[in-house]
Amino acid sequence: MGLTLVTGGARSGKSAYAEKRIAEWEAAGVGPVTYIATAIPFDDGMKDRIAKHQARRPEHWMTIERYRDFKAMAEDPAFVQSRTVLLDCLTVLITNQMLAMETDWDRVSMKRVDAVEAAITADVNDALDLLAAKHSVIVTNEVGMGLVPAYRMGGLFRDIAGRINQMAAARADEVIFCVSGIPMRIK
């Protein structure tokens, strides 16, 4: 049991590595597997990305589509039955929660930003509590190594995601950093 966090840049091979790791655990008898999908198919690009992820994973893996309210997941039969869980992706989860908060990100006060971050952090902590009781892999994007976002929401997202990634890494038993499809164990 325990948490593995897989991080890296966009298209660095994180999801493929996480899926391979989960498949290895399943082959060793640690199943059934539940895949927690956090993406929302809001445009053609995201629909294509979701379809590619779905095509890569085995059909017998159970899927839960959820990006918030993780306490409720404790009652979901797919989660309860699973011994192994893959959550893909933490930064997509954060994006979706930020967008659902109906905030004017160009004019938002820092007090509101702090409240948004606290709400997301609490929900992610609920997810981490549930996932820590199973063999779990969480995929996230490393957002602090790229360009500084040119717009305010992007900067706020980078800051919130960076702090939540640090929290998840601190709670993880293992952290893997992927670069160009090559996984490197950093914790």
Side-chain angles (χ1 to χ4, degrees):
M1 308 261 193
L3 293 171
T4 298
L5 182 70
V6 179
T7 189
R11 310 304 166 263
S12 63
K14 302 176 303 290
S15 293
Y17 172 80
E19 291 162 4
K20 179 182 175 202
R21 185 81 177 267
I22 292 288
E24 289 170 354
W25 289 346
E26 184 183 29
V30 185
V33 174
T34 295
Y35 184 101
I36 302 171
T38 64
I40 297 172
F42 59 86
D43 67 9
D44 288 341
M46 185 57 81
K47 288 176 186 173
D48 181 65
R49 193 167 156 197
I50 291 168
K52 287 177 180 170
H53 277 249
Q54 289 170 334
R56 272 200 325 247
R57 65 183 182 255
E59 288 183 22
H60 66 275
W61 287 6
M62 297 173 282
T63 300
I64 298 172
E65 294 181 359
R66 177 176 298 275
Y67 69 88
R68 63 180 171 186
D69 303 323
F70 284 95
K71 277 188 179 178
M73 191 172 64
E75 305 297 321
D76 189 310
F79 184 78
V80 172
Q81 295 171 22
S82 65
R83 291 183 57 212
T84 304
V85 179
L86 171 55
L87 185 147
D88 196 355
C89 156
L90 189 57
T91 42
V92 170
L93 175 158
I94 294 165
T95 300
N96 290 338
Q97 286 201 22
M98 287 179 71
L99 292 173
M101 301 246 181
E102 298 183 20
T103 300
D104 180 349
W105 294 103
D106 292 326
R107 294 173 188 68
V108 66
S109 70
M110 289 312 296
K111 183 177 180 179
R112 172 70 177 147
V113 171
D114 290 344
V116 166
E117 182 171 351
I120 296 170
T121 298
D123 202 31
V124 170
N125 263 319
D126 289 342
L128 294 173
D129 289 344
L130 289 168
L131 295 172
K134 303 192 182 260
H135 297 275
S136 300
V137 176
I138 301 166
V139 175
T140 192
N141 287 286
E142 175 50 55
V143 296
M145 297 175 76
L147 298 174
V148 174
Y151 55 98
R152 187 149 188 244
M153 184 183 185
L156 294 170
F157 163 78
R158 181 202 54 201
D159 294 348
I160 291 169
R163 286 187 287 270
I164 289 175
N165 280 346
Q166 289 178 50
M167 177 188 74
R171 292 200 49 193
D173 301 297
E174 179 182 37
V175 179
I176 304 296
F177 183 68
C178 288
V179 177
S180 300
I182 300 170
M184 298 176 288
R185 188 174 197 272
I186 59 173
K187 177 182 175 186

